[in-house]
Amino acid sequence: MSEHDPTIFDAILAGDIPCHRVYEDDHVLAFLDINPLSRGHVLVIPKERARFMHELSEESAAALGRVLPKLCKAVMAATGCEHYNLLQNNGAPAHQAVFHVHVHIIPKFEDDSGLCIEWDSGSLEDSEHLTQAIREAIT
Ligand code: AMP
């Protein structure tokens, strides 16, 4: 699917296909991931149609941020998980498959089900220039 086509989340938002809805307000919908990485894997999406986080309005971003802690708390209470990852992919090379902004809440359990990450970290280089470049790019 192209990054510009309507996505399956548009169909869910329109009520054209079902989802296991766990939360909804004026700006946000949350539902169970259909192919969960672990029990209780939830997707939280803005109702605004935006492909990537950097395209999202401040209003929708704020609405997402406002509900995340209570949704995490609810997933913990419902599943008994004590640990979890939040994942938010932007772009196909960054493992985004559905081009509508979404945040994954992925419980991590003792049996190691959940998100598995190979964290191949490097050392910080060019830090002065990079810090300045990012500061100046903030609009
Ligand atoms: P991402 O790789 O970050 O774009 O993740 C997209 C997620 O959407 C995957 O975890 C899918 O399992 C999930 N997904 C795709 N279609 C549906 C659907 N109809 N209902 C619930 N989750 C879905």
Side-chain angles (χ1 to χ4, degrees):
M1 173 177 292
S2 140
E3 294 178 1
H4 300 278
D5 290 336
T7 73
I8 191 131
F9 294 171
D10 290 299
I12 288 176
L13 284 166
D16 293 337
I17 65 165
C19 72
H20 298 283
R21 184 181 60 198
V22 298
Y23 176 83
E24 183 166 15
D25 65 27
D26 288 347
H27 300 284
V28 172
L29 178 69
F31 50 91
L32 297 183
D33 194 297
I34 204 163
N35 292 125
L37 290 183
S38 60
R39 187 167 174 269
H41 183 165
V42 163
L43 298 176
V44 190
I45 72 171
K47 291 187 174 178
E48 180 184 337
R49 197 156 180 265
R51 295 168 301 169
F52 309 121
M53 182 58 79
H54 59 270
E55 296 177 340
L56 198 58
S57 69
E58 284 195 12
E59 188 183 27
S60 288
L64 266 186
R66 199 160 40 238
V67 300
L68 281 172
K70 67 179 166 192
L71 293 180
C72 293
K73 211 184 288 183
V75 168
M76 294 176 78
T79 66
C81 79
E82 294 180 28
H83 313 283
Y84 58 91
N85 292 94
L86 295 187
L87 177 68
Q88 204 279 308
N89 298 326
N90 295 276
H95 302 286
Q96 185 177 14
V98 178
F99 293 96
H100 181 118
V101 170
H102 52 282
V103 178
H104 299 256
I105 303 174
I106 308 170
K108 189 77 182 172
F109 292 105
E110 301 272 314
D111 65 3
D112 214 30
S113 63
L115 183 66
C116 299
I117 315 174
E118 292 270 334
W119 200 270
D120 190 12
S121 52
S123 55
L124 184 58
E125 283 159 17
D126 195 21
S127 57
E128 294 297 322
H129 174 258
L130 198 51
T131 301
Q132 197 58 28
I134 294 172
R135 282 186 181 179
E136 288 172 7
I138 294 173
T139 53

